[in-house]
Coordinates of all heavy atoms in Angstrom, one line a residue:
M1 N 6.8 15.6 -0.2 CA 5.4 15.6 -0.5 C 4.8 14.3 -0.2 O 5.4 13.3 -0.2 CB 5.2 16.0 -1.9 CG 3.8 16.0 -2.4 SD 3.6 17.0 -3.9 CE 1.8 17.0 -4.0
W2 N 3.5 14.2 0.2 CA 2.8 13.0 0.4 C 2.3 12.5 -0.9 O 2.0 13.2 -1.9 CB 1.5 13.3 1.3 CG 1.9 13.8 2.6 CD1 1.7 15.0 3.1 CD2 2.3 13.0 3.7 NE1 2.1 15.1 4.4 CE2 2.5 13.8 4.8 CE3 2.7 11.6 3.9 CZ2 2.9 13.4 6.0 CZ3 3.1 11.2 5.1 CH2 3.2 12.1 6.2
Y3 N 2.3 11.1 -1.0 CA 1.8 10.4 -2.1 C 0.8 9.2 -1.7 O 1.1 8.6 -0.6 CB 2.9 9.8 -2.9 CG 3.8 10.9 -3.6 CD1 4.8 11.4 -2.9 CD2 3.5 11.4 -4.8 CE1 5.6 12.4 -3.4 CE2 4.2 12.5 -5.4 CZ 5.3 12.9 -4.7 OH 6.1 14.0 -5.2
V4 N -0.2 9.1 -2.4 CA -1.1 7.9 -2.2 C -0.7 6.8 -3.2 O -0.6 7.0 -4.3 CB -2.6 8.2 -2.2 CG1 -3.0 8.8 -3.6 CG2 -3.5 7.1 -1.8
I5 N -0.5 5.6 -2.6 CA -0.2 4.4 -3.4 C -1.3 3.5 -3.2 O -1.6 3.0 -2.1 CB 1.1 3.8 -2.9 CG1 2.3 4.8 -3.0 CG2 1.5 2.5 -3.7 CD1 3.6 4.4 -2.3
E6 N -1.9 3.1 -4.3 CA -3.0 2.1 -4.3 C -2.6 0.9 -5.1 O -2.3 1.0 -6.3 CB -4.3 2.7 -4.9 CG -4.9 3.9 -4.1 CD -6.1 4.4 -4.7 OE1 -5.9 5.3 -5.5 OE2 -7.2 4.0 -4.3
G7 N -2.5 -0.2 -4.4 CA -2.3 -1.5 -5.1 C -3.6 -2.3 -5.2 O -4.4 -2.4 -4.2
Y8 N -3.9 -2.8 -6.4 CA -5.0 -3.6 -6.7 C -4.7 -5.0 -6.9 O -3.9 -5.4 -7.7 CB -5.7 -3.0 -7.9 CG -6.2 -1.6 -7.7 CD1 -5.3 -0.5 -8.0 CD2 -7.4 -1.3 -7.3 CE1 -5.7 0.8 -7.9 CE2 -7.8 0.0 -7.2 CZ -6.9 1.0 -7.4 OH -7.4 2.3 -7.2
D9 N -5.3 -5.9 -5.9 CA -5.0 -7.3 -6.0 C -5.6 -8.0 -7.3 O -6.7 -7.6 -7.7 CB -5.6 -8.0 -4.8 CG -4.9 -7.7 -3.5 OD1 -4.1 -6.7 -3.4 OD2 -5.0 -8.5 -2.6
G10 N -4.9 -8.9 -7.8 CA -5.4 -9.8 -8.8 C -6.4 -10.8 -8.1 O -6.5 -10.8 -6.9
P11 N -7.0 -11.6 -8.9 CA -8.0 -12.6 -8.4 C -7.3 -13.6 -7.6 O -6.2 -14.1 -8.0 CB -8.8 -13.1 -9.6 CG -7.8 -12.8 -10.8 CD -7.0 -11.6 -10.4
D12 N -8.0 -14.1 -6.5 CA -7.4 -15.2 -5.7 C -6.0 -15.1 -5.2 O -5.2 -16.0 -5.4 CB -7.6 -16.5 -6.6 CG -9.0 -16.8 -7.0 OD1 -10.0 -16.6 -6.1 OD2 -9.2 -17.2 -8.1
M13 N -5.7 -14.0 -4.7 CA -4.4 -13.7 -4.2 C -4.2 -13.8 -2.7 O -3.1 -13.5 -2.2 CB -3.9 -12.3 -4.6 CG -3.7 -12.1 -6.1 SD -2.2 -13.1 -6.5 CE -2.8 -13.9 -8.0
L14 N -5.1 -14.3 -1.9 CA -5.0 -14.3 -0.5 C -3.9 -15.1 0.0 O -3.1 -14.6 0.9 CB -6.3 -14.9 0.1 CG -6.4 -14.8 1.7 CD1 -6.2 -13.4 2.2 CD2 -7.7 -15.4 2.2
A15 N -3.6 -16.2 -0.5 CA -2.5 -17.0 -0.1 C -1.1 -16.3 -0.4 O -0.2 -16.3 0.5 CB -2.5 -18.4 -0.7
R16 N -1.0 -15.8 -1.5 CA 0.2 -15.0 -1.9 C 0.4 -13.8 -1.0 O 1.5 -13.5 -0.6 CB 0.2 -14.6 -3.4 CG 0.5 -15.7 -4.3 CD 0.6 -15.2 -5.7 NE 0.6 -16.2 -6.7 CZ 0.8 -16.1 -8.0 NH1 1.1 -14.9 -8.4 NH2 0.8 -17.1 -8.8
R17 N -0.7 -13.1 -0.8 CA -0.7 -11.9 0.1 C -0.2 -12.3 1.5 O 0.7 -11.7 2.0 CB -2.1 -11.3 0.1 CG -2.2 -10.1 1.1 CD -3.7 -9.7 1.1 NE -3.8 -8.5 0.1 CZ -3.6 -7.3 0.3 NH1 -3.2 -6.9 1.5 NH2 -3.8 -6.4 -0.6
Q18 N -0.7 -13.4 2.0 CA -0.4 -13.8 3.4 C 1.1 -14.2 3.4 O 1.8 -13.9 4.4 CB -1.2 -14.9 3.8 CG -2.6 -14.5 4.1 CD -3.6 -15.7 4.3 OE1 -3.4 -16.8 3.8 NE2 -4.7 -15.4 5.1
A19 N 1.6 -14.8 2.4 CA 3.0 -15.2 2.4 C 4.0 -14.0 2.3 O 5.1 -14.0 2.9 CB 3.3 -16.2 1.2
A20 N 3.6 -13.0 1.5 CA 4.4 -11.9 1.4 C 4.2 -10.8 2.5 O 5.0 -9.8 2.5 CB 4.2 -11.2 -0.1
R21 N 3.2 -10.9 3.3 CA 2.9 -9.9 4.3 C 4.0 -9.5 5.2 O 4.2 -8.3 5.4 CB 1.7 -10.4 5.0 CG 1.1 -9.2 5.9 CD -0.3 -9.7 6.4 NE -0.9 -8.6 7.1 CZ -0.9 -8.4 8.5 NH1 -0.3 -9.2 9.3 NH2 -1.5 -7.3 9.0
P22 N 4.7 -10.4 5.8 CA 5.8 -9.9 6.7 C 6.8 -9.0 6.0 O 7.2 -8.0 6.6 CB 6.5 -11.3 7.1 CG 5.4 -12.3 7.0 CD 4.6 -11.8 5.8
A23 N 7.2 -9.3 4.8 CA 8.2 -8.4 4.1 C 7.5 -7.0 3.8 O 8.1 -6.0 3.9 CB 8.7 -9.1 2.9
H24 N 6.2 -7.2 3.4 CA 5.5 -5.9 3.1 C 5.3 -5.0 4.3 O 5.6 -3.8 4.2 CB 4.1 -6.3 2.6 CG 3.1 -5.2 2.4 ND1 3.2 -4.4 1.3 CD2 2.1 -4.8 3.1 CE1 2.2 -3.5 1.4 NE2 1.5 -3.7 2.5
L25 N 5.0 -5.6 5.4 CA 4.9 -4.8 6.6 C 6.2 -4.3 7.1 O 6.3 -3.1 7.7 CB 4.3 -5.7 7.8 CG 2.8 -6.0 7.6 CD1 2.3 -6.9 8.7 CD2 2.0 -4.8 7.5
A26 N 7.3 -5.0 6.9 CA 8.6 -4.5 7.4 C 9.0 -3.2 6.6 O 9.5 -2.2 7.2 CB 9.7 -5.5 7.1
R27 N 8.6 -3.1 5.3 CA 8.9 -1.9 4.6 C 8.0 -0.7 5.1 O 8.5 0.4 5.2 CB 8.6 -2.1 3.1 CG 9.6 -3.1 2.5 CD 9.3 -3.3 1.0 NE 9.8 -2.2 0.2 CZ 9.2 -1.5 -0.6 NH1 7.9 -1.6 -0.9 NH2 9.8 -0.5 -1.3
L28 N 6.8 -1.0 5.5 CA 5.9 0.0 6.0 C 6.4 0.5 7.3 O 6.3 1.7 7.7 CB 4.5 -0.5 6.1 CG 3.8 -0.7 4.8 CD1 2.5 -1.5 4.9 CD2 3.6 0.6 4.0
Q29 N 6.9 -0.4 8.2 CA 7.3 -0.1 9.5 C 8.6 0.8 9.4 O 8.8 1.7 10.2 CB 7.6 -1.4 10.3 CG 6.3 -2.0 10.7 CD 6.5 -3.5 11.2 OE1 7.6 -4.1 11.0 NE2 5.4 -4.0 11.8
A30 N 9.4 0.5 8.4 CA 10.6 1.4 8.1 C 10.1 2.8 7.8 O 10.7 3.8 8.3 CB 11.5 0.8 7.0
L31 N 9.2 3.0 7.0 CA 8.6 4.4 6.7 C 8.0 5.0 8.0 O 8.3 6.2 8.2 CB 7.5 4.3 5.6 CG 7.8 4.0 4.2 CD1 6.6 4.0 3.3 CD2 8.7 5.1 3.7
R32 N 7.4 4.2 8.7 CA 6.8 4.8 10.0 C 7.9 5.2 10.9 O 7.9 6.3 11.5 CB 6.0 3.7 10.7 CG 5.4 4.0 12.0 CD 5.1 3.0 12.9 NE 6.3 2.2 13.2 CZ 6.3 1.0 13.6 NH1 5.1 0.3 13.8 NH2 7.4 0.3 13.9
D33 N 9.0 4.4 11.0 CA 10.1 4.7 11.9 C 10.9 6.0 11.4 O 11.4 6.7 12.2 CB 11.0 3.6 12.0 CG 10.4 2.4 12.7 OD1 9.3 2.5 13.4 OD2 11.0 1.3 12.7
E34 N 10.8 6.2 10.2 CA 11.4 7.5 9.6 C 10.4 8.6 9.7 O 10.8 9.8 9.2 CB 11.8 7.2 8.1 CG 12.8 6.1 8.0 CD 13.0 5.8 6.5 OE1 12.4 6.3 5.6 OE2 13.8 4.8 6.2
G35 N 9.2 8.4 10.2 CA 8.2 9.5 10.2 C 7.7 9.9 8.9 O 7.1 11.0 8.7
R36 N 7.6 9.0 8.0 CA 7.2 9.3 6.7 C 5.9 8.6 6.3 O 5.4 8.7 5.1 CB 8.2 8.9 5.6 CG 9.5 9.6 5.8 CD 10.7 9.2 4.9 NE 10.2 8.9 3.5 CZ 10.7 7.9 2.8 NH1 11.8 7.2 3.3 NH2 10.3 7.7 1.6
L37 N 5.2 7.9 7.2 CA 4.0 7.1 6.9 C 2.9 7.8 7.6 O 2.8 8.0 8.8 CB 4.1 5.7 7.4 CG 3.0 4.8 7.2 CD1 2.8 4.6 5.7 CD2 3.2 3.4 7.9
L38 N 1.9 8.2 6.8 CA 0.6 8.8 7.3 C -0.4 7.7 7.6 O -1.0 7.7 8.7 CB 0.0 9.7 6.3 CG -1.2 10.5 6.7 CD1 -0.9 11.4 7.9 CD2 -1.7 11.4 5.6
L39 N -0.6 6.7 6.7 CA -1.5 5.6 7.0 C -1.2 4.5 6.0 O -0.6 4.7 4.9 CB -2.9 6.0 6.9 CG -3.5 6.5 5.6 CD1 -4.0 5.3 4.7 CD2 -4.6 7.5 5.8
A40 N -1.6 3.3 6.3 CA -1.5 2.1 5.5 C -2.4 1.1 5.9 O -2.7 1.0 7.1 CB -0.1 1.6 5.5
G41 N -3.1 0.4 4.9 CA -3.8 -0.7 5.3 C -4.5 -1.4 4.1 O -4.5 -0.8 3.0
P42 N -5.1 -2.6 4.3 CA -5.7 -3.3 3.2 C -7.1 -2.9 3.1 O -7.8 -2.4 3.9 CB -5.6 -4.8 3.7 CG -5.7 -4.7 5.2 CD -5.0 -3.4 5.5
C43 N -7.7 -3.2 1.8 CA -9.1 -2.9 1.6 C -9.8 -4.3 1.5 O -9.5 -5.1 0.6 CB -9.2 -2.2 0.2 SG -8.4 -0.6 0.2
P44 N -10.6 -4.7 2.5 CA -11.3 -6.0 2.4 C -12.1 -6.1 1.2 O -12.8 -5.1 0.7 CB -12.2 -5.9 3.6 CG -11.5 -5.0 4.5 CD -10.9 -4.0 3.7
A45 N -12.2 -7.3 0.6 CA -13.0 -7.5 -0.7 C -14.4 -7.5 -0.4 O -15.3 -7.3 -1.3 CB -12.6 -8.8 -1.3
I46 N -14.9 -7.6 0.9 CA -16.3 -7.5 1.2 C -16.4 -6.5 2.4 O -15.4 -6.1 3.0 CB -16.9 -8.9 1.6 CG1 -16.1 -9.5 2.8 CG2 -16.8 -9.9 0.4 CD1 -16.7 -10.7 3.4
D47 N -17.6 -6.2 2.7 CA -17.9 -5.2 3.7 C -17.8 -5.9 5.1 O -18.8 -6.2 5.8 CB -19.3 -4.6 3.6 CG -19.5 -3.4 4.5 OD1 -18.6 -2.9 5.1 OD2 -20.7 -3.0 4.6
A48 N -16.6 -6.1 5.5 CA -16.3 -6.8 6.8 C -14.9 -6.5 7.3 O -14.0 -6.3 6.5 CB -16.4 -8.3 6.7
E49 N -14.7 -6.3 8.6 CA -13.4 -6.0 9.2 C -12.5 -7.2 8.9 O -11.3 -7.0 8.5 CB -13.6 -5.8 10.7 CG -12.3 -5.6 11.4 CD -11.8 -4.2 11.2 OE1 -12.6 -3.2 10.8 OE2 -10.6 -3.9 11.3
D50 N -13.0 -8.4 9.0 CA -12.2 -9.6 8.6 C -12.9 -10.3 7.5 O -13.9 -10.9 7.7 CB -12.1 -10.5 9.9 CG -11.3 -11.8 9.6 OD1 -10.8 -12.0 8.4 OD2 -11.1 -12.6 10.5
P51 N -12.4 -10.2 6.3 CA -13.1 -10.7 5.1 C -12.9 -12.3 5.0 O -13.5 -12.8 4.1 CB -12.5 -10.0 4.0 CG -11.0 -9.7 4.5 CD -11.2 -9.4 5.9
G52 N -12.1 -12.9 5.8 CA -11.9 -14.3 5.7 C -11.4 -14.7 4.4 O -10.5 -14.1 3.8
E53 N -12.0 -15.8 3.8 CA -11.5 -16.3 2.5 C -11.8 -15.3 1.4 O -11.2 -15.5 0.3 CB -12.2 -17.7 2.3 CG -11.7 -18.7 3.2 CD -10.3 -19.0 3.1 OE1 -9.7 -19.1 2.0 OE2 -9.6 -19.1 4.1
A54 N -12.7 -14.3 1.6 CA -12.9 -13.4 0.5 C -11.7 -12.5 0.2 O -11.5 -12.1 -0.9 CB -14.1 -12.4 0.8
G55 N -10.9 -12.4 1.2 CA -9.6 -11.7 1.0 C -9.7 -10.2 0.9 O -10.6 -9.6 1.4
F56 N -8.8 -9.7 0.1 CA -8.7 -8.2 0.0 C -8.7 -7.8 -1.5 O -8.2 -8.6 -2.4 CB -7.4 -7.7 0.7 CG -7.4 -8.1 2.1 CD1 -6.9 -9.3 2.6 CD2 -8.0 -7.2 3.0 CE1 -7.0 -9.6 4.0 CE2 -8.0 -7.5 4.4 CZ -7.5 -8.7 4.8
S57 N -9.1 -6.6 -1.8 CA -9.1 -6.1 -3.1 C -7.9 -5.3 -3.4 O -7.6 -4.9 -4.5 CB -10.4 -5.2 -3.4 OG -10.5 -4.1 -2.5
G58 N -7.2 -4.9 -2.4 CA -6.0 -4.2 -2.6 C -5.5 -3.5 -1.3 O -6.0 -3.9 -0.2
S59 N -4.7 -2.5 -1.4 CA -4.1 -1.8 -0.2 C -3.9 -0.3 -0.6 O -3.8 0.0 -1.7 CB -2.8 -2.4 0.2 OG -2.8 -3.7 0.4
V60 N -3.9 0.5 0.5 CA -3.7 1.9 0.4 C -2.5 2.3 1.3 O -2.5 1.9 2.5 CB -4.9 2.7 0.7 CG1 -4.6 4.3 0.7 CG2 -6.1 2.4 -0.2
V61 N -1.6 3.1 0.8 CA -0.5 3.6 1.6 C -0.4 5.1 1.3 O -0.5 5.5 0.1 CB 0.8 2.9 1.2 CG1 2.0 3.6 1.9 CG2 0.9 1.5 1.5
V62 N -0.3 5.9 2.3 CA -0.1 7.4 2.1 C 1.2 7.6 2.9 O 1.3 7.4 4.1 CB -1.2 8.2 2.7 CG1 -0.9 9.7 2.4 CG2 -2.5 7.9 2.0
A63 N 2.2 8.0 2.1 CA 3.6 8.2 2.7 C 4.3 9.4 2.0 O 3.9 9.8 0.9 CB 4.4 6.9 2.5
E64 N 5.3 9.9 2.6 CA 6.1 11.0 2.1 C 7.3 10.5 1.4 O 8.1 9.7 1.8 CB 6.5 11.8 3.4 CG 7.1 13.2 3.0 CD 7.4 14.0 4.2 OE1 7.8 13.5 5.2 OE2 7.3 15.2 4.1
F65 N 7.5 11.1 0.2 CA 8.7 10.8 -0.6 C 9.2 12.1 -1.2 O 8.5 13.1 -1.3 CB 8.3 9.8 -1.8 CG 7.9 8.5 -1.3 CD1 6.5 8.2 -1.0 CD2 8.8 7.5 -1.1 CE1 6.1 6.9 -0.6 CE2 8.5 6.2 -0.7 CZ 7.1 5.9 -0.4
A66 N 10.4 12.1 -1.7 CA 11.0 13.3 -2.3 C 10.4 13.6 -3.6 O 10.5 14.8 -4.0 CB 12.6 13.0 -2.4
S67 N 9.8 12.7 -4.3 CA 9.3 13.0 -5.7 C 8.3 11.8 -6.1 O 8.3 10.7 -5.4 CB 10.4 13.0 -6.7 OG 11.0 11.7 -6.9
L68 N 7.6 12.1 -7.1 CA 6.7 11.1 -7.6 C 7.4 9.9 -8.1 O 7.1 8.7 -7.9 CB 5.8 11.7 -8.8 CG 4.8 10.8 -9.4 CD1 3.8 10.2 -8.4 CD2 4.1 11.6 -10.6
E69 N 8.6 10.1 -8.7 CA 9.4 9.0 -9.2 C 9.9 8.2 -8.0 O 9.9 6.9 -8.2 CB 10.6 9.5 -10.1 CG 10.2 10.3 -11.3 CD 9.6 11.6 -11.2 OE1 9.9 12.3 -10.1 OE2 8.9 12.1 -12.0
A70 N 10.3 8.8 -6.9 CA 10.7 8.0 -5.8 C 9.6 7.2 -5.2 O 9.8 6.0 -4.8 CB 11.3 8.9 -4.7
A71 N 8.3 7.8 -5.2 CA 7.2 7.1 -4.6 C 6.9 5.9 -5.5 O 6.6 4.8 -5.1 CB 6.0 8.0 -4.6
R72 N 7.0 6.1 -6.9 CA 6.7 4.9 -7.8 C 7.8 3.9 -7.7 O 7.4 2.7 -7.7 CB 6.7 5.5 -9.2 CG 5.4 6.2 -9.6 CD 5.4 6.6 -11.1 NE 4.1 7.2 -11.4 CZ 4.0 8.3 -12.2 NH1 5.0 8.8 -12.8 NH2 2.8 8.8 -12.4
A73 N 9.0 4.2 -7.6 CA 10.0 3.2 -7.4 C 9.8 2.5 -6.1 O 10.0 1.2 -6.1 CB 11.4 3.9 -7.4
W74 N 9.5 3.1 -5.0 CA 9.2 2.4 -3.7 C 8.1 1.4 -3.9 O 8.1 0.3 -3.5 CB 8.9 3.4 -2.6 CG 8.8 2.8 -1.3 CD1 9.8 2.5 -0.4 CD2 7.6 2.2 -0.7 NE1 9.3 1.9 0.7 CE2 8.0 1.8 0.5 CE3 6.3 2.2 -1.1 CZ2 7.1 1.2 1.4 CZ3 5.3 1.6 -0.3 CH2 5.7 1.1 1.0
A75 N 7.0 1.9 -4.6 CA 5.8 1.0 -4.7 C 6.2 -0.1 -5.7 O 5.7 -1.3 -5.4 CB 4.7 1.9 -5.4
E76 N 6.9 0.0 -6.7 CA 7.2 -1.1 -7.6 C 8.2 -2.1 -7.0 O 8.2 -3.2 -7.4 CB 7.9 -0.5 -8.9 CG 6.8 0.2 -9.7 CD 7.4 1.1 -10.8 OE1 8.7 1.0 -11.1 OE2 6.7 1.8 -11.5
A77 N 8.9 -1.7 -5.8 CA 9.8 -2.7 -5.2 C 9.0 -3.4 -4.0 O 9.6 -4.2 -3.3 CB 11.0 -1.9 -4.6
D78 N 7.7 -3.2 -3.9 CA 7.0 -3.8 -2.8 C 6.9 -5.4 -3.0 O 6.8 -5.9 -4.1 CB 5.5 -3.3 -2.8 CG 4.8 -3.7 -1.6 OD1 4.4 -4.8 -1.4 OD2 4.7 -2.8 -0.7
P79 N 7.0 -6.1 -1.9 CA 7.0 -7.6 -1.9 C 5.6 -8.1 -2.5 O 5.7 -9.2 -3.1 CB 7.1 -8.0 -0.5 CG 7.9 -6.9 0.2 CD 7.4 -5.6 -0.5
Y80 N 4.6 -7.3 -2.4 CA 3.3 -7.8 -3.0 C 3.5 -7.7 -4.6 O 2.8 -8.5 -5.2 CB 2.1 -6.9 -2.6 CG 1.6 -7.2 -1.2 CD1 0.7 -6.4 -0.6 CD2 2.1 -8.3 -0.4 CE1 0.2 -6.6 0.7 CE2 1.6 -8.6 0.8 CZ 0.7 -7.7 1.4 OH 0.2 -8.0 2.7
V81 N 4.3 -6.8 -5.1 CA 4.5 -6.8 -6.5 C 5.3 -8.0 -6.9 O 5.0 -8.7 -7.9 CB 5.2 -5.4 -7.0 CG1 5.6 -5.5 -8.4 CG2 4.3 -4.2 -6.7
A82 N 6.4 -8.3 -6.2 CA 7.2 -9.4 -6.5 C 6.5 -10.7 -6.4 O 6.8 -11.6 -7.2 CB 8.5 -9.4 -5.5
A83 N 5.5 -10.8 -5.5 CA 4.8 -12.0 -5.3 C 3.6 -12.1 -6.3 O 2.9 -13.2 -6.3 CB 4.3 -12.1 -3.9
G84 N 3.4 -11.1 -7.1 CA 2.3 -11.2 -8.1 C 1.0 -10.8 -7.4 O -0.1 -11.1 -8.1
V85 N 0.9 -10.3 -6.2 CA -0.4 -10.0 -5.6 C -1.1 -8.9 -6.2 O -2.2 -9.0 -6.6 CB -0.2 -9.7 -4.0 CG1 -1.4 -9.2 -3.4 CG2 0.4 -10.9 -3.3
Y86 N -0.3 -7.8 -6.5 CA -0.9 -6.6 -7.1 C -1.0 -6.9 -8.7 O 0.0 -7.1 -9.3 CB -0.1 -5.4 -6.8 CG -0.2 -4.8 -5.4 CD1 0.8 -4.1 -4.9 CD2 -1.3 -5.1 -4.6 CE1 0.8 -3.6 -3.6 CE2 -1.3 -4.6 -3.3 CZ -0.3 -3.9 -2.9 OH -0.3 -3.4 -1.6
A87 N -2.2 -6.7 -9.2 CA -2.3 -6.7 -10.7 C -1.9 -5.3 -11.3 O -1.4 -5.3 -12.4 CB -3.8 -7.0 -11.0
R88 N -2.1 -4.3 -10.5 CA -1.6 -2.9 -10.9 C -1.5 -2.0 -9.7 O -2.0 -2.3 -8.6 CB -2.6 -2.3 -11.9 CG -4.0 -2.0 -11.3 CD -4.9 -1.5 -12.4 NE -6.3 -1.3 -12.0 CZ -6.8 -0.2 -11.5 NH1 -6.1 0.9 -11.4 NH2 -8.0 -0.2 -11.0
I89 N -0.7 -0.9 -9.9 CA -0.5 0.0 -8.8 C -0.7 1.4 -9.4 O -0.3 1.7 -10.5 CB 1.0 0.0 -8.3 CG1 1.3 -1.4 -7.7 CG2 1.3 1.1 -7.3 CD1 2.8 -1.6 -7.4
E90 N -1.3 2.3 -8.6 CA -1.5 3.7 -8.9 C -0.7 4.5 -7.9 O -0.9 4.2 -6.7 CB -2.9 4.0 -9.1 CG -3.6 3.4 -10.2 CD -5.1 3.9 -10.4 OE1 -5.4 4.9 -9.8 OE2 -5.8 3.3 -11.1
V91 N 0.0 5.5 -8.3 CA 0.7 6.4 -7.4 C 0.3 7.9 -7.8 O 0.5 8.2 -8.9 CB 2.2 6.2 -7.4 CG1 2.9 7.2 -6.4 CG2 2.6 4.7 -7.2
R92 N -0.2 8.6 -6.8 CA -0.6 10.0 -7.1 C -0.2 10.9 -6.0 O -0.1 10.5 -4.8 CB -2.1 10.1 -7.2 CG -2.7 9.3 -8.3 CD -4.2 9.5 -8.4 NE -4.9 9.4 -7.2 CZ -5.6 8.4 -6.8 NH1 -5.8 7.4 -7.6 NH2 -6.2 8.3 -5.6
P93 N 0.1 12.2 -6.3 CA 0.4 13.2 -5.2 C -0.8 13.3 -4.3 O -2.0 13.1 -4.7 CB 0.7 14.4 -5.9 CG 1.0 14.1 -7.3 CD 0.2 12.7 -7.6
F94 N -0.6 13.5 -3.0 CA -1.7 13.7 -2.0 C -1.5 14.9 -1.2 O -0.3 15.1 -0.7 CB -1.7 12.4 -1.2 CG -2.7 12.4 -0.1 CD1 -4.0 12.1 -0.4 CD2 -2.4 12.7 1.2 CE1 -5.0 12.1 0.6 CE2 -3.4 12.7 2.2 CZ -4.7 12.4 1.9
R95 N -2.4 15.7 -1.0 CA -2.3 16.9 -0.2 C -3.1 16.7 1.1 O -4.4 16.7 1.0 CB -2.9 18.1 -0.9 CG -2.6 19.4 -0.2 CD -2.9 20.6 -1.0 NE -3.2 21.7 -0.2 CZ -4.2 22.5 -0.2 NH1 -5.1 22.2 -1.2 NH2 -4.4 23.4 0.6
K96 N -2.5 16.5 2.2 CA -3.2 16.3 3.5 C -3.8 17.7 4.0 O -3.1 18.7 4.0 CB -2.2 15.8 4.5 CG -2.8 15.6 5.8 CD -1.8 15.0 6.9 CE -2.5 14.8 8.2 NZ -2.0 15.4 9.3
V97 N -5.1 17.7 4.3 CA -5.7 18.9 4.8 C -6.2 18.7 6.2 O -6.0 19.5 7.0 CB -6.9 19.2 3.8 CG1 -7.7 20.4 4.4 CG2 -6.5 19.5 2.5
L98 N -6.8 17.5 6.5 CA -7.3 17.3 7.8 C -6.9 15.9 8.3 O -6.9 15.0 7.4 CB -8.9 17.3 7.9 CG -9.4 18.7 7.7 CD1 -11.0 18.6 7.5 CD2 -9.1 19.6 8.8
P99 N -6.8 15.5 9.4 CA -6.7 16.5 10.6 C -5.3 17.2 10.6 O -4.3 16.7 10.0 CB -6.9 15.6 11.8 CG -6.4 14.2 11.4 CD -6.6 14.1 9.9

């Protein structure tokens, strides 16, 4: 089943986010290579493609996992969690309809 994972950045986390980004992307690329990644990306903190020093408010990942528990475990092992970037994470089932 698909699951949406939303990570919400704490305040002033841009430097920590940038430092943990290569490890974060490696995990996403592994999901992609397994055919389990629908989409992933950051949410700019302002209405701009490149938010600069404003940074990001969080990230969204939609990926396939065997269960809600597996999706939560994957999310909790994210390098952004270990680096303290995410203040909280939400994981919910997701039903893809379009396209």
Side-chain angles (χ1 to χ4, degrees):
M1 180 162 185
W2 295 104
Y3 294 89
V4 61
I5 299 168
E6 295 178 275
Y8 296 88
D9 287 20
D12 301 316
M13 288 294 134
L14 185 57
R16 286 188 190 188
R17 175 182 269 273
Q18 290 170 332
R21 188 170 189 260
H24 171 79
L25 289 179
R27 296 178 82 233
L28 292 170
Q29 290 163 346
L31 284 178
R32 178 202 60 203
D33 293 348
E34 295 168 7
R36 297 173 43 211
L37 182 65
L38 184 61
L39 66 89
C43 300
I46 60 173
D47 189 13
E49 181 73 23
D50 179 359
E53 292 300 313
F56 299 90
S57 62
S59 303
V60 175
V61 174
V62 179
E64 189 174 34
F65 293 93
S67 67
L68 180 58
E69 293 77 21
R72 284 185 177 142
W74 186 91
E76 290 168 4
D78 193 283
Y80 284 170
V81 172
V85 173
Y86 290 156
R88 67 184 171 93
I89 299 173
E90 291 185 14
V91 181
R92 297 184 312 252
F94 179 80
R95 186 170 157 233
K96 183 180 181 236
V97 174
L98 292 171

